[in-house]
Amino acid sequence: MAVSTRDYALCMATNTKRTNHPIPPLRDRTDIREVLSFHCLASRRRDVILDEANSLEAAGKIPEARQRLKQAEEIDALIQTLEDDCGSPRSLRTD
């Protein structure tokens, strides 16, 4: 069963949890290019939000900075879920 990035995002948006299923063979999984593209875009967005949070904090806008940090944490949680679902080792991430 192939899962598109749209289906993945919809699943995450509804906060549903998948049960543990064995990882299907590569030919049955989503195209790895789609997964990597989604991962890259999400990582870039998280980094932009973190930069905004740092700028807001430096400007003394603490409540706004906290909101941005919360958004970055939510994106990071989605990235972690994506990595866990695809069997990607977190050791490859650069924090």
Side-chain angles (χ1 to χ4, degrees):
M1 174 178 137
V3 178
S4 71
T5 53
R6 185 176 92 55
D7 293 337
Y8 178 81
L10 182 61
C11 178
M12 290 297 102
T14 58
N15 288 330
T16 58
K17 296 201 178 214
R18 291 179 36 176
T19 57
N20 287 336
H21 295 290
I23 296 174
L26 184 58
R27 67 181 176 276
D28 294 338
R29 289 192 271 168
T30 302
D31 184 3
I32 192 68
R33 291 171 294 198
E34 289 181 37
V35 173
L36 290 174
S37 176
F38 183 73
H39 185 282
C40 185
L41 290 172
S43 297
R44 285 184 190 168
R45 181 64 183 146
R46 178 198 57 210
D47 293 343
V48 167
I49 290 173
L50 287 173
D51 288 341
E52 290 174 6
N54 289 334
S55 296
L56 288 168
E57 186 176 13
K61 299 180 179 181
I62 305 302
E64 293 89 346
R66 286 185 181 148
Q67 286 178 332
R68 294 288 193 226
L69 287 174
K70 184 178 177 185
Q71 290 173 347
E73 288 172 0
E74 290 170 354
I75 292 172
D76 194 53
L78 292 173
I79 292 170
Q80 181 177 356
T81 302
L82 177 65
E83 290 172 351
D84 293 345
D85 286 350
C86 292
S88 300
R90 292 200 46 94
S91 61
L92 296 177
R93 287 189 49 201
T94 56
D95 290 329

